[in-house]
Structures are given as structure tokens and as C-alpha cells.
Amino acid sequence: MRVIIKDNAVDISAWVAGYIAYSIKRAKPTAKKPFVLGLPTGSTPLGVYKELIKLYQNKKVSFEHVVTFNMDEYIGLSPEDKNSYHYFMHENFFNYININPKNIHILDGQTKDYAKECEDYENAIKAYGGIDLMLGGIGTDGHIAFNEPFSSLTSRTRIKTLAPSTIKDNSRFFDNDISKVPTQALTIGIGTIMDAKEVIIMATGENKAEAIHQAIEGNINHLWPVTVLQMHRYGIIACDKAAAKKLAPPTIDYFQNIEKMGG
């Protein structure tokens, strides 16, 4: 595991955006062999999307041959709903870069056949040869995508009932009204995330400190789904100092020294 710790959310967002842009350029994607990028929603990646838009505007990166797969979508919300992840992604990212709309993949929360939608999503990812780089956030309870505590660590894309803590955390996007937050979502599975060639999990703020402590220093277990990243060959945790607050000083020293020495 690689751990990146920066002073604040702005700095960590800039680092992650730079790494994504570097990865895309390194791959030299084409129409026949695009770069496949997994993307999250929520407040944590907003800074990354702003930085990526700047990099695109400054001609530092192109998304012409990039294919995206979003992690999840609420059940019951239309793409036009301001709280849907379709709306979120277009308003905060897709509308400002040169991505082909046909290359954007987001689960359909209004589907009449959840099982088929999830199976088709998995098959679409496989058809592109898998996800090259998966970016994700982390919940205060350690969930990744909508894989709540006690999710199978080998789970695939499926329907998931949201934990009360997740509903409470996400109520900030619904006028702080818990009753307005959907209780179910379609989500890629932990196994789907782990299949990606590289995975970056972001965390900012002191409220994520326990989750980051468990992710790096805890045992692998389904109570804290993010701990599975310890098993990934190329897993990265990118966090600010506030989120790293509960890490032991020797742990912080180790990872910071590794980065100073060039990894």
C-alpha cells in the first residue's frame, strides 16, 4: 500500500488530479484502447474534478479517449434530479471536459430490472478490459462506493440498502432532511473495485480519521470494507493531515519518508 499525506484537502486534491492526468498520458489511450477510469461522487472528489478541469483547460490532459464508470447511483432518482449522481457528475465534471458522452457509464437507478442492470454493468467493464484506475472516497464507517460494513469483500455490482450512518452523512445533500435520502442504491462491489489495476481511496477531514486508521493499521475485515485495500497490489490512500490524525507517528513517518525517497 502507498499512503500519501498532504497538509490539507486542496493539496491532496491537486496531487490526486495530477496522478490521474499522469496515468492517462502515460497510457497513451486511443479510440481502440481507451483509458478506463472509475469515478466517485460526494464532497471529497469535488476538488479533484476542479483540478482536472483546470488541467484540461490548460491542455495538460485530454479525455478524448477516456471511458468512465461511476461507482454508484441512488435507486429511484431520475438523471435530471439534482441529487442524482448522473446530475452531479455532469454538473461538476463531464460538462467541462472533452469526454465523449458515449464513453460515460453510470448505473440506472430507475431500471425495472436491477439484476440485469448490474450484470450489464459488470459485463461492460469487462468488455473494456477492466478499469485502469479506480478513484474512490470513504465513508466515516469505512464504506467504499456503497459497500457498507459487513459487505462481502468479493461482492460484485448489486443493489444495496444503505446504513443509517450513510443516510445521515448524505442528508447534507438533501437539505439535511434524512427522510429525503433514498435508502437503497446500485453500487459496484468490493470485488469490482479490487479488480481495477490501480485504486486510489481519498479521505479528507478529521471525521474520516478512524476509517483511515482502520484502513492502514487495522486488520482486514468486512466491518471496515476499506481495509480490503491492504490486499491490492497497487492500492493508494491519499489523505490530508486531519484524516491521518489517528495514525501512529511511526506509521506517518514511514510513509512520508518513503515518498521523500521516491517511493
Side-chain angles (χ1 to χ4, degrees):
M1 178 185 289
R2 183 179 180 185
V3 177
I4 306 296
I5 303 172
K6 297 293 183 181
D7 287 342
N8 51 55
V10 173
D11 290 346
I12 203 65
S13 294
W15 187 92
V16 171
Y19 189 87
I20 292 171
Y22 162 78
S23 298
I24 293 171
K25 290 188 288 184
R26 178 182 59 184
K28 299 178 180 178
T30 64
K32 291 185 177 180
K33 189 173 175 54
F35 186 86
V36 185
L37 181 62
L39 296 173
T41 53
S43 55
T44 302
L46 280 174
V48 175
Y49 295 146
K50 290 178 181 178
E51 290 295 327
L52 285 172
I53 291 168
K54 289 179 185 177
L55 290 171
Y56 162 69
Q57 292 173 337
N58 292 328
K59 303 186 185 303
K60 301 292 185 180
V61 66
S62 171
F63 296 90
E64 181 181 5
H65 300 307
V66 172
V67 169
T68 64
F69 284 90
N70 260 76
M71 284 185 151
D72 37 38
E73 178 59 287
Y74 287 117
I75 285 178
L77 298 189
S78 71
E80 294 74 33
D81 191 303
K82 291 185 178 181
N83 290 310
S84 75
Y85 290 157
H86 281 76
Y87 187 91
F88 177 99
M89 290 305 304
H90 284 83
E91 288 297 306
N92 291 293
F93 190 40
F94 294 145
N95 288 347
Y96 307 98
I97 59 174
N98 64 331
I99 191 168
N100 185 334
K102 294 181 179 179
N103 288 343
I104 297 170
H105 300 82
I106 306 176
L107 286 155
D108 180 6
Q110 291 191 305
T111 181
K112 301 299 182 182
D113 190 335
Y114 300 130
K116 185 177 186 302
E117 174 68 12
C118 294
E119 183 179 0
D120 288 349
Y121 209 68
E122 288 279 340
N123 289 335
I125 292 172
K126 292 176 183 176
Y128 281 105
I131 292 173
D132 293 302
L133 175 59
M134 176 72 76
L135 174 65
I138 181 177
T140 55
D141 58 3
H143 75 253
I144 46 179
F146 273 135
N147 295 286
E148 304 283 15
F150 303 110
S151 293
S152 166
L153 299 184
T154 60
S155 56
R156 313 306 303 190
T157 302
R158 68 208 187 286
I159 186 172
K160 197 74 178 70
T161 299
L162 307 185
S165 60
T166 300
I167 293 173
K168 180 180 179 181
D169 287 347
N170 288 359
S171 66
R172 67 188 187 277
F173 301 114
F174 293 81
D175 303 320
N176 291 309
D177 187 345
I178 290 178
S179 67
K180 293 181 180 179
V181 185
T183 59
Q184 291 184 311
L186 297 180
T187 181
I188 61 172
I190 296 175
T192 315
I193 294 170
M194 292 294 285
D195 280 348
K197 297 177 181 69
E198 286 189 278
V199 179
I200 299 177
I201 297 296
M202 287 186 70
T204 58
E206 192 172 340
N207 65 325
K208 303 294 177 69
E210 180 61 24
I212 288 299
H213 159 61
Q214 294 292 337
I216 298 170
E217 297 177 322
N219 297 321
I220 298 170
N221 68 90
H222 63 180
L223 178 58
W224 294 90
V226 69
T227 58
V228 75
L229 194 65
Q230 295 175 27
M231 296 291 291
H232 200 285
R233 187 176 181 183
Y234 296 112
I236 300 174
I237 287 182
C239 63
D240 62 6
K241 285 185 176 179
K245 189 174 181 179
K246 289 191 175 182
L247 293 177
T251 300
I252 295 174
D253 290 344
Y254 171 80
F255 285 112
Q256 289 187 329
N257 287 333
I258 287 292
E259 291 305 314
K260 288 178 182 177
M261 293 186 290

